[in-house]
Amino acid sequence: SSGLTQVSVTLSQSACEAQQAACYAVVRNGDKEVTSGKRNLRLDTVAPRVEVVSPVAPVSSTTFRVDATVGCTEPGVTATLSRAGAPDLSTPVVGGGVTFPSVTVPVDGDYSFTLRVADEGGNVTTRQIPVTVASTAPTLRLVVPRTITSDPDPAEGVQAPVSVEAD
């Protein structure tokens, strides 16, 4: 008889990147086997792995670099770095990583960026990147008494209380 039969197939492991596979059906018809034509398909069940390399500490300039390692994706897919109120930046994944060499913000402060990588299978990974920009060094001021009139332990030398204030 003719008709459509659906069979579920379970993969024994996840497919990273765009892995090629082929399937075909073999049906027994009495003592004979009937084989379908081969069907090629692409498997990609794992989202890209993204780890931010820099910045991981405050930066000292309003123009800075953002780097991330990217795994489990095809070379050349696009990574996008975005910040509310600013144009998106895009660059291809090359050699297992992405680099945005000149990310610019208007002034010192705290910013939130989103790094998004989508592979050819449509799997998406996003990472939030908080960045603190502190390009202006603080002004430091030593606070020292003008006169020291007593020392509780003269055997260890003169002890002076000193503190530092930052603006």
Side-chain angles (χ1 to χ4, degrees), residues 60-71:
S60 60
S61 173
T62 56
T63 298
F64 53 92
R65 179 181 171 121
V66 173
D67 294 296
T69 58
V70 180

Side-chain angles (χ1 to χ4, degrees), residues 86-102:
D88 289 353
L89 302 173
S90 295
T91 191
V93 173
V94 177
V98 293
T99 297
F100 298 89
S102 295

Side-chain angles (χ1 to χ4, degrees), residues 6 32 46 52-53 55 75 83 87 95 99 112 125 127 149 157 161 165:
Q6 292 185 352
K32 295 182 181 178
V46 178
V52 176
V53 175
R83 174 176 64 86
T99 297
S112 179
T125 298
R127 291 285 178 266
T149 58
E165 293 179 353

